[in-house]
Structures are given as C-alpha cells and as structure tokens.
Amino acid sequence: GGGGGQTLTSASLIRPLLPPSVMTTAHLMPSHSMATTPVTFESAAAMGCSYGGSSSVVSPSPPSSTTNGQPSMVTNSSTGRQQLRQQMEHPPPPPVGSSWASNGATGSSTAPLDYLQYLRPLMEDGDGDGGSGGDATPRTTTNGHAGLALGTSSNGHNSKHTMSMMDWEALGAVGQKRQRSINSLMRIEANFCAELRAGMELYLEPLRPVLGSREHATIFFKFQEFHARSEDLIAMLNSRAIPFASANPPSSSSSPPRTPKPVWLNLLVMHAKIRVSDSFKTHLMKVAEAAKQVPQVQVGRPLKITLSLLETYGSILVWLGTRNFQALLIPTVFKSQAWGMLHALLETITYRVLFHIAFSSKFHLLQQLHTVANVNIIPSQLFLTAETTALQLIKGLSTPDFLTQLAKHCASDPKQLLSSESEELNRVFVLSIAQALQISCLDTHNWLESFMRAIMITTPHRWSESSLKLMPLALQQTLHVAMETSDAKQLLLSKVEDDFKRFKVKSSEQDCSQFLNDSSTASLCIVWKLLLETGSIPPVCIKVLQLMPPKKLATQLRKMVDYVVYSSQSNQQLNNAISCLNDMVWKYNIFPMDRLLLFMTLRKYEGTDAHMMVTIIQCLPLMSKELLLRVNEYVSEVPTDSWSGQDWEQRHTAYLKKYPESCVPTLPGANSPSKSLSLPTYFGNICLKFLSVFDLMIHRLLESVELTFKTLLKLLDQFGPLYKFHDHPITFLYTTLHYYESCLAKKPELKLKLTSSIIGSQKHNFDWYFTPQFSGYLTNAVKGSEWMNLSYFADLVGKLVEGFQPFSASLPACDWHFNEFSGPLMFVLHVVCVELLCLPLPGRVLAKNLLDMLYNKAESTPASDEKDVLSWINCLGLLFVSLPELFRVYLMEEVCRVVRGISGGASDGVPCSSGGMHVVTGTSCQTGCLLSLMHAYWHHANTGTLLGLPSWIQTHVTPLVKNELQLLFVYHLVGPLINRLAHDKPKALLDVVMELYCMLQGVDQLQGGMFQYSNAICDFLYHIKYMHIGDQLRKEVEKVIFSLEPPMKLRLRFLVPQESLGSRPLQGG
C-alpha cells in the first residue's frame, strides 16, 4: 500500500475546485435593504456593480501622501471607513444660523456654502483647519481613501494652490474598481436629485390650496435651498477636482469625459429627504390631532390632505424606510381615531411602499394591522383596507429571507403575527410559508411545528387534500394532525333552513331586526335566500347590515359562502346563485367582490363541493359585467407609472369619481347615507383589490383536479392585463411555476398563457426579459421544438453569466429603488428561471440539456480560459439551487452515474494534485465539471438541502463505491463541505463521516488492503478527526479500523486511542 510518488494530497480533497473569487453568492429572493436604508461607503461598491454599465464619469483620486518625494497610494483604512459610515448613517445637524434649521418660510441663505462647514471634515483631514492657506499637498479623506483636497477657506472661496494631473493607469486594480463604484454611486445620487426636484415641483404645487401658504412655502423652499446648495457644492468641487490624464476608464474611453461629482452629495440628499419626510409627517400628525374634536359620525368629511402629498410621501418612504412612520405617525393617528387619515395612510402603504419595506418592519406593521382590525368601532371600509394591507403583506412573505426572520419572531410569541379573527389571513400565512419552504429548502425543525400549532389554535380550520399534497412534508404532518373530522355540511344546511322559516313568520320590523342581530342566526344566508326567492332584499335587512360590525359581517360571509356552495347542485341553481351574488355585490353593496372571492377560494371543500367551488370562482368574475367594465376602463385609462406620469393623478381621480368605492349596504335608488359614511379613497379600487385575490385564485385553480383549463385561459384573457399594476409580477410568476411545477408539468399551453399574460402586460416587450428564441415562442413566431437545442441553453445560461460580470452592458437599466428587485442580478436570475420553467419540456430533460451544454462548453474551451468555464459552473450551480426539486434529483442521479462509471483499472490514470478541471487524468472533462458543479451547488444551497445529504450518501452512493478511485471521487465530492457541515449541521457531519469510513471499509475488503493513494486518504481522515469531530465517533471508528487490513490499519492507528488498542494486534488482523 505504498504511497511513494503520490501527487494527491489531503488538501486537494478539502479544497473546492471553484476558487472563492468565482463562487459569488446571490440570494434568489430580493432584499430591499438598499432601498430603505442610507447608503454607506461599504455599499458603494455593491451599488456600483448592481447598477452596471461603464461609467464615463471618473471620480478624481490623487496621491495621498509622499514618501521621499514620490507619491504613494493610500491603503484602505478600516477606522476611517467606520467613521465615514457612522457620519453617513447619522448626518450631523445643520449648522447654526443656517436657514435649514429655521422654521421661516422665507429668508435667503446667508452664505451659499455654509452647509459645507460640517461636510469639510469628511472631505479633508481631521485637523479641522478648513484647508485654509496655500498648502498644495493633496489631502486624505477620513475614510482612508485618496480623496479631494478642497483647500477651501472658511468662507468657501477658491484656494490658491493648483492640482497636478493624475493618470488613470497609475491606479491599481483595487483603486480603479473603487473609482468605478464611487462613480456609479455619484451618478445615482445626481439622478435622484433631478428626479426628486421634478417630482416635488409636480406634487407639492397642488398643496397650495390645501396647506397654509406659510406651510407650503416652508416645505418647498427647503427643497429649493437644498438643490441650490447642492449645485454650489458640485460647482466648487468641479473647480477643485484633480483631473485624470485619461479622464475615463479604458472600458469607456470612447465616451466624452464628464465632470466628476462628489460622493459626499449623499449627505445632502439624505438630509433633504429626511427634512421633507419630517415636514409631511408633522403635517399629517397635526391633521390627526385636529380630528379628535370632530364627531365620529362625520367620517366622510374631506381631509386636509391630497393625493399629491401622499404620493410624494410614499415615494420618500421607499428611500428612507418606515421606521418613524410606524413608530410615530400610525400610533398618533390611531390614538386620535382619525379613521379617514388612517385609511389614507394604509392605502399609501399598500399601493406604494409595501413591497419595499424591510422584513423586520413588515412584522411590526403586521402587528399594527391586526390591532386596527380588532377594534370594533372602526368603519367597515377601514376594516377592509386593514385586512387588504395585511393580505398584501403576507402574500409578499414567500421568500427565504422571510423564513429566517420568522424563526426569530417565533422564539418570543408567534401569536403576535397572527390574526385572532381572520381565518383567511392565517391560511395565506400558511401558504406563504409553504411556498418559501419549497423554494428555499430551509431547515425549520426548531420553530415550524410550534408556529403551525399556534395558527390552528387561533383560527381552527381544515385543508383540502389537493392543497396538502403540494406542501412540504413538515407542513403536511402538522396540518394533518390538526384537521377536524366532523362534517358540518348537513348542520349548516339544516340551520339555515330553520332560521329562514323562523324569519318568515316575524311580523314586525323590530322582531326581524332582533332576530337578524342574534349572533347565532345565519343572517347573511337568510338575506341570500330572500334575494334568491323574491328577487329583492327588504329594507330592514339593509338597515341591520349597515349597523353590523365588520368582524361579525365577515363571520356571516363565511357561513354564506359555504351555504352557497353546498346548496348549488345543478346548473340552474348555479346560474341563479351567481346572479344573486352579483346583485349583492354591485346592486346592494353588501360586500365587495374581492372579499367574496377570497373567502370562497380559501375554504376547504371535497368531492362535488370542490367542483362547485371551482366552477363558481371561475364563472363569477366572467359573468360580472360591472367588474369587467371597471377592469377594462382602468387598464386602458390609468397609466402604471404614477411617479413620472404627468397626468396620472387626473386620470386616477376621474376613474374614482366615475366608479366610487363604497362598502356600505344600500338599497338601489334610495337616498342612503352610503356616500357620507364612506371614507375618502386615494389609491385603492376594486381592480387592484381583485388583483391581489386573483393571485390566490390562480393558485387554487392550479391545485384543483376539477379545474377546467379553458375557463382559466379565459380568466387570464380578461384579467391578465391587470398584472401591469402588480407590485411583483415576475416574483409571483416564478413562485407559481416553481411551487406548482408538478401541476403544470403536462400543461405547456397553460404555462405559456400564464407567462405571456403576466409578462405581456408589462411596459417592456418580451425581449427585455427573455432570449429572442423564447420571445418568439411566446408570440407564436417560432414553431416546433428544434430551437430548444444546446445553443439555446448556452445563450440562456450565458445571460446569467454576463450578469455576474461587473459593469456588464447586457444588464437592464432602470430605477431599481422602485423595482421589485434590489438589483439587476436578481432580475436576471428570476427571468432565467421563469424561462426554463415555462419551456414545454420535462424537468429531467431540461436538467440533462443544461449539463450537456456545460460539458460541451468545457470541451470546447482551451485550458487557458479555464476561469471562464468555472464562472459558468458557478452560475449553473446557483441555477440548480433556484429550480424545483426535480432538477436537483437529476443532478444527484448524474453523480451516481459518474461514480458507477469510474473503474479501478490502471488505464484510468491517477488523480491530479489540485483543483484543475480534471479530477482523474485520462477521463473526459465531464467528471471534473460535475464535481465542480456539485461544489457550486452545495455552496449556494441552504442548510435544509444539506440535511438530506447523509441519507443520500448512505442510500445511493455508498453501495456504488467498489474501488479506490471511486472512493477518492466521493471524498473529493464531500471534502469542501466538511467545514460548512461542522458549523451549520454538526449532526449531519457525523453521519457523513461515518459513511466515509464505511466506504473505506468496503474498498479495503475488496482490494485486500492495497491502496495507491493511502497517504492522502489517511491524511483526510486525520484532518476530519482533529479539526472537526474529535472523539464523537470513537466507538464506531474503532470498529471500522480494527476490521481493516493491516496496511491501512497501521496507517490509521492514531485515530484510535492507545488505551483502546490494548492487546489487539495491528499486524495480521
């Protein structure tokens, strides 16, 4: 078993084939922390990469100091960087005497550059001398990077010294990368200044008749002052900047040079945004305080706020976050019982800010929404808006980041996040958790069971078998235990019939009112039967429904939905039921359409009742002329870009006047108080509310075996254009295709229609999202399947590879702060996954094509371009992590196929020494590519994926290992995972290590103890013991070692404690 002349070492078994610089991690789901927190210097590089493109603006970076008369570049200083970060995140107050600190509406700034008095320490040394004098030595900024030596005096006039020219090529690689990042950040801030100025002029001007002249002038003047001072600062820095000899980086040398802009403009931008936000918040709090003196019966009175103010305030909240909004404004308005104001703020959050809020703030907001909904005295319209906001919030939680944050909240009190009354919200919470678990494969054994138990205790409910079979196994077990066994169908039918007979014998209006107000009476079911039999609803019923608390009305609606489904057993009954439901929605305003569809979609039905439910939720929207009329006009008349659209406010206001929102039951043609009892509506309407429920309808229809696909296609034809107003359409499409992959696998027509309806409704064409071949497939311009070849898959994956390249020109350009993704990388990853999942091919075929494409790429790439192949492998590993389980299963099967194909003959050669492309010389590069791909896959995978690794190795891999080369391949396969397993899943590490010993035992017996690479194998096992597991597997390891042949037993003798050896001989077995 000699090991002389071996080139394989234990380090090569532990080291992954992909270097750390290649294995760039990019989480699948977006995190909007960049959009809600102030930009720090550390995030400048990330923002520069995310915005992409070669900047033609170069920030000057002079030599920082001299050594023996020669300039030298300043190295990175963590202390200075930390100081700058603290100053950026906590800007200092305005200087004394500045008009920024005053409350006057008029007055000019005393000195144009007074604001620089506290900016100068960030731009110069910490000596605070203001740079006075004629010192010509370039300064160093407090962040440790080479910076601008302004040399300004205290009055801001130009200094006397001149700056020398500096060559771009003189900068090192790190310096050039830093300059590009800073350029991108400065470009972002400059664009924001221009955009915010235009927006403020557009939306603050209508405040003049609403606000007092002094208040309006104060807000508007502060912004004008900020903009003027920003221009002064930019102009001064332009005159002081050190120019480069080659003013542009080599990648953009063809573009004309531009004047550099200062990174410290971020301080001014943040200060202006905070000031404007504080002005809005103060005004809104004053309006709320004034509402204390107004009687609650006047809820319909006009508010002293405008759509312009809310639109601007919502856009600023996207940048600043909602911490102060939730901590100060919402509690103040709620305490003042200013229901109209609270309704307006909730609409602003729902339709302008919600998807951009950080997860920690979302959980706090969810608790506040549950508090609002639990108040009995609030109007029905406010109750519905609070639940709509909560529904939108919970639907957007189906991401891996959400599960991580949820685990922390479950450690304290999980019931804080649950609704004590709304079964529907808690059901959507379960669905969001199921989708997040399915996509992320996170480990949830510490908190999931307790959280599900809290949900079932708070609002007991049941789930249909079609819904349960799609959920992860952990959820299925929990929800199966909590399911009820009693059937309440017959009880409800008999209860309604009995109540209806008792109501018909009531003679007086007072008796009827008392009977309907009784909590045990199925009041809404009686109203529905009255409308079904007589064609009208008595006025006494309308009066009772007007005074009924919203929570009680919700309970009654659940009973009515069940009764409608149970009692509709024929086509004639179904048509009459749909007609009556439309009358209750549009003619009598008893409940809105989105509320009815939400309750019916999420109820649990089986057998013929499930078929009837599916039929109703498909036919009800299509047979509602009022809904179709509103949707068609809203899609055609109202633009999507509310911030930059010049006439959006006029169009939206005109639409609300034509189709006013009303949640108060009323008699048709009667002088009802519905208008005076309605709260002002600013952003919401039935189309947007229906859209949030339409997502759930699509999911429920996909999981139902009773689905009629032609009807679903009609629904997408009629209501698909609404997705142009969806706040995260691509994320929703990705989640749908991923979670319901098993339901859509054999329905390519439905996948095609779903994708074309959602993406086709966006403002960009298909080519902006997808490859040209797939865009032609969506538009029926490409026929057949010949185009789905390896060249197409190379173009598709190459799109993702290019996205990882810094400053790639292929990345889409848009404002990512108001986008559903935090940057272009997340966008590209999602659209590539959507395109793959929408192809009319089985998942195994797609996975095979991706691997074949990689093998062809590796075989056709010369050894000098090996890093390019590694980049492709890294992106492909991230792609497999982001795709459904079927793709991962095929990848594991491919590993088993490769292990099975490795023989122990001499013709197979010997393993190489390091992480090159080939693990075994003499074989094809497929083995090395697959090994690298598995390392990238496990690098990007979540901890939940690693939990199944021991069982997979034990069941599928260990029985295949019969020779030494197979053993080396498996050791190299799992070697890079040892560190991560030891940190994240120690128990899984012990199971994997035990399997490694079992493989060694089997190979030792088959080869008679003869190993060619025994040194590397033994060193690897010694490394695992002394670096990770110690004596945790002492007894098991001893048993294996003492069963080995003498040569290997002798080499591994130090894994066994000396006292355990005893009298057992090491020679002769």
Side-chain angles (χ1 to χ4, degrees), residues 892 938 942-959 970 973-974 977-978 981-982 985-996 998-999 1033:
M892 299 300 184
W938 279 324
N942 287 311
T943 55
T945 304
L946 302 181
L947 286 177
L949 182 63
S951 62
W952 174 71
I953 293 177
Q954 180 182 11
T955 306
H956 297 89
V957 180
T958 301
V970 176
L973 181 69
V974 301
L977 268 178
I978 299 297
L981 288 174
K985 298 297 174 186
K987 178 63 171 60
L989 174 61
L990 298 180
D991 296 337
V992 170
V993 171
M994 198 61 238
E995 289 303 317
L996 298 181
C998 292
M999 293 179 200
L1033 295 175

Side-chain angles (χ1 to χ4, degrees), residues 236 319 536 623 798 825 1042:
M236 187 201 68
W319 288 84
S536 61
M623 297 175 65
L825 281 183
F1042 284 122

Side-chain angles (χ1 to χ4, degrees), residues 320-342:
L320 299 181
T322 59
R323 179 175 300 179
N324 291 332
F325 174 84
Q326 297 180 46
L328 298 176
L329 186 56
I330 291 292
T332 301
V333 174
F334 182 74
K335 184 178 179 181
S336 303
Q337 297 186 8
W339 305 134
M341 172 73 71
L342 185 57

Side-chain angles (χ1 to χ4, degrees), residues 20-33:
S21 60
V22 176
M23 289 197 292
T24 306
T25 302
H27 296 292
L28 178 61
M29 306 309 294
S31 174
H32 294 273
S33 58

Side-chain angles (χ1 to χ4, degrees), residues 44 216 387 493 589 618 630 692 745 755 812 884 942 994:
H216 177 272
E387 294 225 330
L493 291 174
N589 291 327
Q618 289 181 109
R630 284 165 169 79
S692 63
T755 304
N942 287 311
M994 198 61 238

Side-chain angles (χ1 to χ4, degrees), residues 188-200 223 226-227:
I188 296 165
E189 292 167 347
N191 292 340
F192 168 77
C193 288
E195 178 188 356
L196 188 59
R197 177 177 178 82
M200 296 291 284
F223 181 79
F226 149 73
H227 192 272

Side-chain angles (χ1 to χ4, degrees), residues 11 34 144 172 276 654 657 671-672 697 706 794 909 979 1008:
M34 288 172 55
V276 174
K657 289 182 179 179
N671 295 326
S672 63
M697 290 174 56
E706 301 84 2
N979 240 2

Side-chain angles (χ1 to χ4, degrees), residues 93-142:
V96 178
S98 171
S99 57
W100 281 82
S102 63
N103 295 323
T106 57
S108 58
S109 56
T110 55
L113 298 176
D114 281 348
Y115 200 76
L116 295 178
Q117 292 179 1
Y118 73 95
L119 286 179
R120 192 172 296 109
L122 301 180
M123 296 182 278
E124 301 181 0
D125 292 334
D127 52 12
D129 59 358
S132 58
D135 184 13
T137 303
R139 302 295 184 94
T140 304
T141 59
T142 58

